[in-house]
């Protein structure tokens, strides 16, 4: 009796590019580094986005950016030279507003001032939950204590966090991110935060739904190994890490998350994807 041999399709990086139908990009640390003014575009990233847009791949941008409204944020990226429109960008705030309305929740907000206009239509009287984002300088003892008092005073405390990053990179160095303050409130109030944004599978799925794609048809490219790459992999996507932004050499020896590929920057990743698809 003869045995049949089945050849498995090569699903590793970069050969998986052959079966891709869409790419999802993180923004800060992949396209640009935030900082003074609008920040600075990472070399090659403007051209890389143009190449993806000219290809047959669907493209979306998935970010945990919570320091500005989506319109203002996209305006900044356009000024840096990126061809990006508002409906292609998925930040956590609009997703959070949908959840608040679905559950009839009234938030106490601890967010960056620039994000407050997103919540203009949300009832904030007599709060029955706390929502935090990357509030930067607004993370004072007084403001954290105020959020703590709201939470601890609730019979069933509900804490939402727009992301859970540990730190991010600006032009003048690394900065503490929202996850650090989320953990402080979790610890103080003995509550588990609901994370809206990466690495939440629901958040990634909302982007895939908008693209009309299954997880195995999409690739995530980010600088955050755990939240970008690990979150995408957990959802069934491939995840590639760039050596820009918050990347650290130790990421390549991480005990629990291994990127499907690691590249020097977005430009290199895009060139590898497109050259693979031409073969």
């Amino acid at each position: 009796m003869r045995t049949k041999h089945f050849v498995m399709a090569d699903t590793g990086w970069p050969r998986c590019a052959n079966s891709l139908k869409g790419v999802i990009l993180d923004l800060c640390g992949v396209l640009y580094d935030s900082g003074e003014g609008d920040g600075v575009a990472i070399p090659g990233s403007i051209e890389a986005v143009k190449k993806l847009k000219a290809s047959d791949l669907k493209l979306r941008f998935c970010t945990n950016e919570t320091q500005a409204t989506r319109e203002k944020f996209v305006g900044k990226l356009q000024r840096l030279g990126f061809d990006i429109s508002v409906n292609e960008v998925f930040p956590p705030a609009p997703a959070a507003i949908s959840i608040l309305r679905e559950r009839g929740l009234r938030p106490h907000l601890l967010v960056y001032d620039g994000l407050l206009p997103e919540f203009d239509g949300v009832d904030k009287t007599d709060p029955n939950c706390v929502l935090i984002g990357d509030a930067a300088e607004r993370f004072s003892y007084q403001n954290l204590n105020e959020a703590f008092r709201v939470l601890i005073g609730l019979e069933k405390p509900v804490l939402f966090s727009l992301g859970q990053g540990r730190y991010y990179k600006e032009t003048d160095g690394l900065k503490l991110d929202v996850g650090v303050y989320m953990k402080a409130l979790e610890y103080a109030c003995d509550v588990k935060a609901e994370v809206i944004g990466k690495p939440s599978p629901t958040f990634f799925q909302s982007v895939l739904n908008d693209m009309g794609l299954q997880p195995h048809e999409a690739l995530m490219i980010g600088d955050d190994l755990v939240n970008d790459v690990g979150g995408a992999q957990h959802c069934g996507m491939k995840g590639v890490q760039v050596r820009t932004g918050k990347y650290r050499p130790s990421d390549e020896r991480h005990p629990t998350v291994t990127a499907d590929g690691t590249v020097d920057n977005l430009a290199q990743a895009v060139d590898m994807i497109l050259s693979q698809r031409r073969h």
Side-chain angles (χ1 to χ4, degrees), residues 4-277:
K4 290 182 180 176
H5 293 279
F6 294 96
V7 179
M8 293 290 288
D10 193 334
T11 56
W13 168 262
R15 291 191 182 176
C16 62
N18 287 322
S19 58
L20 286 181
K21 292 184 181 175
V23 174
I24 302 172
L25 301 181
D26 178 34
L27 289 166
C28 184
V30 177
L31 269 63
Y32 77 106
D33 284 322
S34 61
E36 285 297 310
D38 292 331
V40 294
I42 291 168
S45 58
I46 294 171
E47 189 59 34
V49 170
K50 282 183 187 163
K51 287 178 181 177
L52 282 176
K53 289 216 160 185
S55 76
D56 60 345
L57 291 163
K58 294 184 177 183
L59 178 62
R60 296 292 186 276
F61 303 89
C62 185
T63 177
N64 277 1
E65 168 64 43
T66 56
Q67 288 200 0
T69 62
R70 189 158 37 169
E71 288 73 17
K72 282 200 169 175
F73 181 49
V74 171
K76 173 174 84 171
L77 293 168
Q78 289 170 344
R79 286 193 297 276
L80 285 172
F82 292 102
D83 175 16
I84 295 178
S85 57
V86 170
N87 62 354
E88 295 171 317
V89 177
F90 287 77
I97 291 165
S98 296
I99 291 169
L100 292 170
R101 288 189 170 135
E102 278 167 25
R103 299 199 207 166
L105 292 170
R106 303 177 303 278
H108 170 84
L109 298 173
L110 177 47
V111 298
Y112 199 75
D113 287 346
L115 192 67
L116 287 171
E118 286 270 19
F119 294 89
D120 280 349
V122 175
D123 183 4
K124 297 177 279 289
T125 56
D126 188 24
N128 56 3
C129 69
V130 168
L131 185 147
I132 66 170
D134 176 21
E137 292 78 13
R138 299 259 302 141
F139 278 133
S140 63
Y141 174 78
Q142 183 180 350
N143 289 343
L144 274 167
N145 203 50
E146 193 179 351
F148 159 73
R149 284 177 170 173
V150 171
L151 273 178
I152 208 77
L154 295 170
E155 192 177 332
K156 290 184 178 175
V158 178
L159 171 63
F160 294 105
S161 183
L162 303 181
Q164 63 177 30
R166 295 176 178 180
Y167 54 84
Y168 57 93
K169 187 186 178 193
E170 289 201 341
T171 48
D172 63 346
L174 298 175
K175 303 284 175 81
L176 287 174
D177 203 351
V178 63
V180 176
Y181 305 96
M182 174 192 91
K183 287 292 183 188
L185 289 171
E186 281 184 337
Y187 180 64
C189 302
D190 195 21
V191 64
K192 182 78 177 148
E194 290 185 48
V195 177
I196 304 169
K198 298 174 292 186
S200 157
T202 313
F203 189 59
F204 278 117
Q205 192 59 53
S206 69
V207 185
L208 289 168
N209 291 348
D210 184 72
M211 299 169 91
L213 298 182
Q214 296 299 313
H216 69 271
E217 298 174 318
L219 170 76
M220 175 78 204
I221 302 175
D223 67 323
D224 185 320
L225 183 70
V226 173
N227 293 313
D228 293 339
V229 173
Q233 289 173 335
H234 190 62
C235 200
M237 289 189 273
K238 288 276 191 285
V240 167
Q241 187 182 23
V242 290
R243 294 188 183 98
T244 54
K246 67 166 70 169
Y247 163 85
R248 315 248 52 69
S250 58
D251 289 348
E252 297 186 48
R253 302 182 300 277
H254 195 276
T256 58
V257 182
T258 303
D260 290 289
T262 309
V263 293
D264 288 340
N265 49 41
L266 178 62
Q268 187 183 62
V270 170
D271 285 346
M272 289 172 80
I273 290 168
L274 299 181
S275 67
Q276 187 67 40
R277 291 172 72 78

